[in-house]
């Protein structure tokens, strides 16, 4: 989903000549160096004819290696803020990768709860590409049987029906669906493709892929590395259905959005308050690598809660630290 293949070169040329504009190669449009992030996001959405754009954002590499989004708003990668001028991405002391040209990527920021039901074909296709990438990078975890089915759907969508004349033995090995997989899984993928998916159009296969993916526990997971109170590594994530904690490739905590009552951070400490039953209140505490990473984690949580649960963003509860010299929760989603 990197749609800025030519943007980097154009911005580099612009920086070399010290001009105030950069040319976006994919769109043929000129853009001021101090243009807001929302402008670039809208420009890309217009180029793609993307109407259901609330699910997406643009990420870039920031100096502190934190992820962040701009557009519809998370560490190397950062979501570019909607009101952030392009020149604010620059820093005299920042490393080379955070100076022009910038590497940017259009990405799903808020995963649709039912991606197969999206109205626009281009939206479904972009979400399909994102989930396929999640599968390849090991963010979408699943059983071997589910993995084989998902990969077979991808195969059908990309090459169509199995044809012995075009697809020799081992043809599925040319595709990289996962970080690593066995020959046994590879054969199972080919068997499903040969026998169960004959006649499916690319669109139907993509829909079936989306329907299968949304049922998995790690659908929509964009993991944030942390440690629990015992010092054990953990990954925290926000999905369309709630807050998730993963340890050792297993989901150890899941709180639905209607159970989460408050998100709070202080320094490197992140707290999640929830009511799972009428009289059962719980507090989960984790520690991020840095205060900046913790604030970013909290901000992503607040934004996800607002997007998936609340009718109005003003309903989001925030907590400010009483210690003026302590980095606490001061951000309000707008």
């Amino acid at each position: 989903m990197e749609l800025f293949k030519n943007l980097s070169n154009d911005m580099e040329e612009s920086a070399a000549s010290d001009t105030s504009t950069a040319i976006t190669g994919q769109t043929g449009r000129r853009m001021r160096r101090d243009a807001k992030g929302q402008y670039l996001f809208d420009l890309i959405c217009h180029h793609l004819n993307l109407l259901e754009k609330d699910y997406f954002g643009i990420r870039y590499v920031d100096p502190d290696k934190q992820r962040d989004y701009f557009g519809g708003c998370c560490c190397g990668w950062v979501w570019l803020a909607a009101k952030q001028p392009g020149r604010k991405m620059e820093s005299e002391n920042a490393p080379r990768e955070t100076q022009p040209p910038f590497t940017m990527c259009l990405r799903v920021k808020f995963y649709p709860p039912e991606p197969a039901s999206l109205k626009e074909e281009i939206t479904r296709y972009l979400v399909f590409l994102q989930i396929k990438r999640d599968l390849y990078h090991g963010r979408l975890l699943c059983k071997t049987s589910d993995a084989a089915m998902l990969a077979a759907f991808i195969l059908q969508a990309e090459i169509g029906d199995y044809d012995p004349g075009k697809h020799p033995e081992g043809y599925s090995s040319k595709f990289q669906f996962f970080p690593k997989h066995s020959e046994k899984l590879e054969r199972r993928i080919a068997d499903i493709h040969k026998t169960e998916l004959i006649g499916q159009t690319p669109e139907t296969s993509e829909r079936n892929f989306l329907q299968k993916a949304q049922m998995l526990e790690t659908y929509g997971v964009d993991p944030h590395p942390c440690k629990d109170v015992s010092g054990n590594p953990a990954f925290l994530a926000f999905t369309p259905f709630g807050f998730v904690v993963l340890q050792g490739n297993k989901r150890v905590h899941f709180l639905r959005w209607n159970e989460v009552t408050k998100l709070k951070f202080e320094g490197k400490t992140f707290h999640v308050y929830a009511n799972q039953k009428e009289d059962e209140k719980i507090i989960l505490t984790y520690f991020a690598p840095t205060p900046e990473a913790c604030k970013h984690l909290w901000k992503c949580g607040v934004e996800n809660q607002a997007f998936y649960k609340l009718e109005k963003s003003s309903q989001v509860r925030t907590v400010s630290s009483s210690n003026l010299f302590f980095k606490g929760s001061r951000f309000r989603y707008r």
Side-chain angles (χ1 to χ4, degrees), residues 162 167-169 171 189-198:
Y162 169 72
H167 307 135
E169 187 69 24
Y171 69 99
I189 294 168
D191 287 342
I192 295 174
H193 177 238
K194 294 175 182 178
T195 62
E196 300 182 30
L197 305 182
I198 297 296

Side-chain angles (χ1 to χ4, degrees), residues 26-218:
Q26 290 288 326
T27 65
R29 297 282 295 275
R30 298 180 69 87
M31 182 179 127
R32 292 182 58 86
R33 293 176 63 83
D34 60 351
K36 300 295 190 292
Q38 187 67 48
Y39 176 81
L40 180 56
F41 179 70
D42 290 340
L43 188 67
I44 297 303
C45 291
H46 176 75
H47 176 68
L48 294 173
N49 195 26
L50 180 61
L51 301 179
E52 297 170 298
K53 58 185 182 181
D54 290 346
Y55 299 107
F56 300 88
I58 295 176
R59 288 212 297 208
Y60 70 96
V61 179
D62 85 327
D64 297 319
K65 294 295 186 294
Q66 297 296 309
R67 286 177 311 210
D68 214 343
Y69 286 85
F70 81 67
C73 202
C74 207
C75 297
W77 288 100
V78 186
W79 293 114
L80 184 58
K83 296 183 180 180
Q84 179 177 346
R87 65 186 179 202
K88 289 292 186 180
M89 296 163 59
E90 304 177 33
S91 172
E92 292 182 2
N93 299 320
R96 179 67 183 87
E97 63 268 20
T98 63
Q99 299 285 0
F102 301 109
T103 299
M104 301 184 186
C105 181
L106 181 71
R107 191 188 189 283
V108 175
K109 181 180 180 181
F110 301 112
Y111 285 73
E114 298 181 1
S117 299
L118 292 166
K119 294 181 180 179
E120 298 288 327
E121 182 179 356
I122 180 62
T123 314
R124 291 195 303 272
Y125 180 64
L126 290 176
V127 174
F128 166 78
L129 291 180
Q130 180 64 64
I131 301 174
K132 187 172 76 165
R133 186 177 179 84
D134 292 345
L135 191 66
Y136 172 73
H137 285 283
R139 290 188 291 267
L140 185 64
L141 305 176
C142 53
K143 298 182 298 183
T144 302
S145 58
D146 291 330
M149 199 74 224
L150 288 170
F153 284 136
I154 294 174
L155 207 55
Q156 181 69 18
E158 295 194 0
I159 67 174
D161 290 345
Y162 169 72
D163 184 340
K166 297 180 180 178
H167 307 135
E169 187 69 24
Y171 69 99
S172 63
S173 63
K174 297 180 181 179
F175 297 83
Q176 189 70 36
F177 305 108
F178 316 102
K180 57 182 180 179
H181 61 271
S182 64
E183 291 185 4
K184 182 179 179 181
L185 176 57
E186 196 173 283
R187 290 194 298 269
R188 179 56 184 151
I189 294 168
D191 287 342
I192 295 174
H193 177 238
K194 294 175 182 178
T195 62
E196 300 182 30
L197 305 182
I198 297 296
Q200 280 194 15
T201 64
E203 183 180 1
T204 299
S205 294
E206 289 167 11
R207 281 182 181 271
N208 289 334
F209 174 89
L210 294 175
Q211 289 175 335
K212 186 73 174 177
Q214 77 179 55
M215 303 301 294
L216 301 176
E217 289 186 348
T218 51

Side-chain angles (χ1 to χ4, degrees), residues 260-326:
V260 176
T261 59
K262 185 166 60 179
L263 301 174
K264 177 183 177 181
F265 81 94
E266 291 181 320
K268 296 191 293 184
T269 307
F270 179 70
H271 303 283
V272 179
Y273 296 75
N275 293 333
Q276 286 196 301
K277 296 180 181 179
E278 290 185 5
D279 299 323
E280 184 182 350
K281 296 183 179 181
I282 65 172
I283 302 175
L284 299 178
T285 300
Y286 293 90
F287 303 96
T290 65
E292 292 76 19
C294 194
K295 182 177 180 180
H296 171 69
L297 168 65
W298 172 79
K299 180 180 176 181
C300 289
V302 170
E303 290 183 328
N304 274 269
Q305 182 187 40
F307 188 87
Y308 293 115
K309 177 186 175 185
L310 306 175
E311 294 182 2
K312 298 180 180 178
S313 61
S314 60
Q315 293 177 260
V316 178
R317 299 177 60 184
T318 61
V319 177
S320 296
S321 171
S322 59
N323 186 340
L324 296 178
F325 300 98
F326 204 69

